[in-house]
Amino acid sequence: MPPLATEKESAAKIRRRYRTLLLVMLAVLAAAVLFSFWVGYYHLTPGEVIKAFLTRLGFAADGLDPNAITIFWNIRLPRILSALFIGASLSVAGATYQGMFRNPLVSPDILGVSSGASLGASLAILMGAGSLMVQGAAFLGGILAVALSYLISRKSPHSQTLSLVLTGSMIMALCNAGVTMIKYVADPNDVLQQITYWLMGSLTKADMEAFLWSVVPMLLGLSLIFLLRWRVNLLTMDEEEARSLGVNIRRYRVIFIVASTLLSAASVCLSGLIGWVGLMIPHMARALVGADYGRLIPASAMLGAGYLLLMDDLARSLLSLELPIGVVTSIMGAPFFVYLIIKRKEG
Amino acid sequence: MLLELEGVRGGYGHQEIVKGVSCAADHGDILCLVGPNGCGKTTLFRLLLGVLPTTGGSIRIGGKETKTLSPKALANLIAYIPQYHTPVFAYTVLDVVIMGRASHLSAFEAPKAVDRDAAFEALEKVNAAHLANQKYTALSGGQRQLILIARAICQSAQVFVMDEPAANLDYANHQLLMEVVADLAKRGYCVVMSTHSPEHPASIGTKVLLMRAGQVAAFGPPQEVITPEHLQAVYGIEMDVATVTDRYGVQRTICLPVKRPGETIS
């Protein structure tokens, strides 16, 4: 066969392999969801899961423990949905930022979204707000921090990516100082505990109502990035190069910053700080499907969703008391980071 | 004329670096930009590509004023071939070449079968189809430069801008690249390239733009522009232009900086 035909055939093979891989990931994800319903003090079997689900559609719950229905709808379902969406959102935001900043070690917090959210949440807790208000304040805080980073960076004469990184770390430092200040003045018997607990990152506060509030910006951000995903490739090239390829690079950068910020802010306000997911998952996805963002974004979303779901299962089943999931992801993430640093640069 | 520059001016902020450059090139031309460091070659390229706005004069490609065009429309006329680089992410060659299709796709579109075919066709034109599924980051500098040329072909622009394509390449890769450039011109593309060495235009250029301090020092066919007088005026040192015959009987031009023995250049 002439080289052209051979190469076309192997390119087609790579595409087929990608599609198969997506289907496999989907199947594994479905299995992980069923497993997560089972994990916990009350084991929900797949049969019970289906029956409990059908009760809402008006089917009779013949022979089903009423507790199973409550646990399904009020405890496991919102938690599993939250884990799936947070995992997908953080991973997609991380992958997008890594492309935009042309740096594989970037995580979604780079523009200060988590610190801003922490400040917003701490402030709301200090003022005695209810949990939905705290969620809203965290979301707003995250968005404001990124907006500030972006607006200040536009005044800088340096290249846009460099200025964004600089202003982002400045905003982060400022917000962290604010959080420390609030913790310092907070009542240690009550408010301080709440703040510390919030900052730890946990899915225990993810009930259905909180989830439904967060899922709106998440769906918005995910679909925006999903639709534009191939364009992220162009942003990984030099600014001049991207422009000569016909891309209005600054406009796309704004769109991707907005979308990623919606994703990370909505995640943080639902669960508090969960680190490392946005850094780790895109790497794993790249190893599986290659660097092309057309494939990387869907793969990152699926892997991230599955990963966070399993980490949450670990968090709630490993010990008799529940571990904060932020701790679990950090324990898993730090060694991974070390591995990234020491592994040989792939050719 | 495919590409026409008329009194083009521009620079960064208030600092004007290109001060009124006029020249023209057509299909099949290889226009070489020659001049000392800081003479405005790179700035002129940025003006050509629309990365920097012009502050005066006009640039027309195929009769269209470039400053009135959107980045997308401009990309369909003129393509940039940067010096070979190493992207952070390990794209395959096909991924890189297919990025040239961006200006043919709407924002929400991903490349389809037609775009992949265009990419393969472009790779075939630079004899690199066998590299299609390899990692771009693992290729040699010369090969990567070829892939970037394929990307420009895939972009289906008529004018190619190459910034110092010869820099950092060894003899073999350099010769290969120059063959590809000559081949592009034969196919009817107009290649604009900058170079440090005045010998390149003498060997493959059809037109030379000699620049000095943002202005045109000379413009025309290489045998008229590459002369000791012109080179001395631009580089500020004495230069000899010699013609030698290589072992196959081909006439070659070489440029030599010279100085009177014992004298120091002040």
Side-chain angles (χ1 to χ4, degrees):
Chain A
M1 250 198 296
L4 186 65
T6 327
E7 291 298 325
K8 276 193 174 176
E9 180 46 38
S10 36
K13 208 181 279 171
I14 293 172
R15 282 200 305 281
R16 281 197 298 272
R17 195 182 144 249
Y18 163 70
R19 279 196 285 266
T20 318
L21 203 66
L22 277 193
L23 286 178
V24 171
M25 283 202 249
L26 201 64
V28 173
L29 199 57
V33 167
L34 283 181
F35 172 70
S36 306
F37 276 114
W38 182 83
V39 169
Y41 182 69
Y42 188 109
H43 298 311
L44 279 173
T45 62
E48 285 173 316
V49 167
I50 293 166
K51 275 187 199 160
F53 180 74
L54 289 177
T55 53
R56 277 286 159 101
L57 303 177
F59 288 87
D62 41 307
L64 190 62
D65 184 351
N67 284 333
I69 302 177
T70 319
I71 289 170
F72 175 84
W73 286 103
N74 297 355
I75 299 170
R76 300 273 159 85
L77 186 64
R79 185 143 185 172
I80 287 170
L81 285 174
S82 302
L84 289 173
F85 272 88
I86 293 170
S89 298
L90 290 176
S91 307
V92 167
T96 309
Y97 273 156
Q98 287 175 4
M100 222 172 64
F101 288 99
R102 296 184 209 111
N103 184 344
L105 299 184
V106 159
S107 72
D109 332 325
I110 183 147
L111 298 182
V113 66
S114 312
S115 319
S118 306
L119 181 59
S122 314
L123 211 60
I125 295 172
L126 182 71
M127 297 194 303
S131 72
L132 268 185
M133 281 292 286
V134 173
Q135 190 183 356
F139 185 71
L140 265 181
I143 302 264
L144 273 179
V146 175
L148 261 180
S149 297
Y150 179 76
L151 290 175
I152 299 171
S153 80
R154 290 190 8 158
K155 299 275 173 211
S156 151
H158 302 287
S159 90
Q160 198 184 12
T161 42
L162 175 66
S163 353
L164 275 170
V165 173
L166 292 175
T167 51
S169 48
M170 185 272 293
I171 293 288
M172 240 186 272
L174 204 63
C175 290
N176 290 342
V179 172
T180 310
M181 189 66 208
I182 291 173
K183 278 170 143 178
Y184 183 69
V185 299
D187 178 357
N189 294 319
D190 171 24
V191 178
L192 180 60
Q193 279 176 12
Q194 274 187 55
I195 294 176
T196 312
Y197 189 65
W198 193 94
L199 291 175
M200 268 192 278
S202 154
L203 284 172
T204 41
K205 50 185 173 280
D207 56 21
M208 206 40 129
E209 197 181 6
F211 168 72
L212 289 176
W213 277 110
S214 270
V215 80
V216 177
M218 283 176 174
L219 281 174
L220 203 68
L222 283 174
S223 34
L224 208 58
I225 294 177
F226 180 79
L227 286 172
L228 292 168
R229 66 191 188 282
W230 184 72
R231 303 256 142 184
V232 184
N233 286 325
L234 303 164
L235 296 200
T236 68
M237 298 285 135
D238 276 349
E239 190 152 349
E240 235 157 86
E241 208 177 333
R243 210 197 130 98
S244 72
L245 290 169
V247 188
N248 191 334
I249 184 161
R250 296 208 162 210
R251 189 171 68 194
Y252 278 107
R253 224 177 251 154
V254 176
I255 296 175
F256 286 128
I257 290 177
V258 169
S260 308
T261 305
L262 284 176
L263 290 179
S264 0
S267 305
V268 177
C269 75
L270 185 56
S271 65
L273 305 182
I274 297 179
W276 300 98
V277 179
L279 175 73
M280 248 172 95
I281 297 300
H283 280 277
M284 295 182 164
R286 246 177 234 119
L288 282 174
V289 302
D292 172 30
Y293 271 87
R295 295 170 190 164
L296 184 63
I297 293 292
S300 296
M302 303 251 264
L303 268 184
Y307 174 76
L308 204 69
L309 189 60
L310 293 179
M311 287 305 113
D312 188 46
D313 291 344
L314 264 185
R316 59 199 174 88
S317 65
L318 207 56
L319 301 178
S320 56
L321 85 167
E322 189 181 322
L323 286 168
I325 189 173
V327 174
V328 179
T329 57
S330 297
I331 291 172
M332 301 296 279
F336 181 81
F337 195 72
V338 172
Y339 159 75
L340 271 189
I341 301 170
I342 60 176
K343 96 171 165 163
R344 258 182 331 141
K345 196 173 186 293
E346 56 177 322
Chain B
M1 274 293 157
L2 178 61
L3 172 71
E4 293 165 287
L5 274 69
E6 234 179 79
V8 172
R9 313 178 81 85
Y12 307 89
H14 293 293
Q15 197 191 358
E16 196 167 65
I17 292 172
V18 172
K19 301 161 184 163
V21 168
S22 303
C23 64
D26 212 341
H27 293 282
D29 268 335
I30 299 173
L31 169 62
C32 293
L33 259 66
V34 186
N37 295 336
C39 71
K41 284 177 293 194
T42 306
T43 311
L44 184 60
F45 273 4
R46 300 175 132 227
L47 294 169
L48 258 178
L49 292 166
V51 179
L52 272 180
T54 51
T55 52
S58 83
I59 302 172
R60 285 187 300 276
I61 303 176
K64 283 180 196 147
E65 189 69 43
T66 59
K67 63 182 158 215
T68 62
L69 299 173
S70 68
K72 220 170 156 171
L74 189 59
N76 288 333
L77 294 173
I78 186 165
Y80 174 53
I81 302 169
Q83 280 177 28
Y84 70 86
H85 51 30
T86 315
V88 193
F89 303 106
Y91 289 114
T92 66
V93 166
L94 195 57
D95 290 338
V96 172
V97 175
I98 227 163
M99 286 186 210
R101 301 302 290 174
S103 58
H104 299 266
L105 299 169
S106 75
F108 294 134
E109 255 180 317
K112 292 180 291 290
V114 245
D115 303 297
R116 280 193 294 275
D117 287 344
F120 274 114
E121 207 176 295
L123 277 170
E124 188 134 74
K125 280 187 185 162
V126 297
N127 293 320
H130 61 289
L131 299 174
N133 292 301
Q134 298 195 17
K135 291 259 189 291
Y136 173 80
T137 39
L139 301 183
S140 74
Q143 286 173 320
R144 267 182 270 165
Q145 188 75 72
L146 280 186
I147 302 309
L148 293 176
I149 293 175
R151 187 179 70 183
I153 295 175
C154 186
Q155 192 173 331
S156 57
Q158 290 303 304
V159 181
F160 290 178
V161 172
M162 302 177 83
D163 194 5
E164 299 269 1
N168 310 322
L169 292 183
D170 59 27
Y171 279 117
N173 278 312
H174 179 229
Q175 197 175 26
L176 172 71
L177 182 70
M178 288 304 137
E179 267 167 35
V180 173
V181 169
D183 186 54
L184 288 174
K186 248 185 251 140
R187 287 174 197 269
Y189 293 108
C190 167
V191 181
V192 183
M193 59 181 242
S194 67
T195 168
H196 262 308
S197 149
E199 288 163 0
H200 298 146
S203 63
I204 75 156
T206 58
K207 287 184 172 174
V208 186
L209 178 70
L210 195 61
M211 284 181 74
R212 184 183 175 217
Q215 285 173 321
V216 179
F219 172 62
Q223 58 275 22
E224 286 173 23
V225 175
I226 307 294
T227 61
E229 296 73 34
H230 280 144
L231 293 178
Q232 182 167 357
V234 162
Y235 287 101
I237 56 167
E238 289 181 293
M239 300 275 282
D240 274 357
V241 178
T243 308
V244 295
T245 309
D246 67 17
R247 65 170 75 177
Y248 298 110
V250 181
Q251 299 264 304
R252 309 281 294 268
T253 305
I254 51 174
C255 305
L256 295 166
V258 288
K259 63 176 174 125
R260 199 183 297 277
E263 205 173 80
T264 48
I265 299 169
S266 54

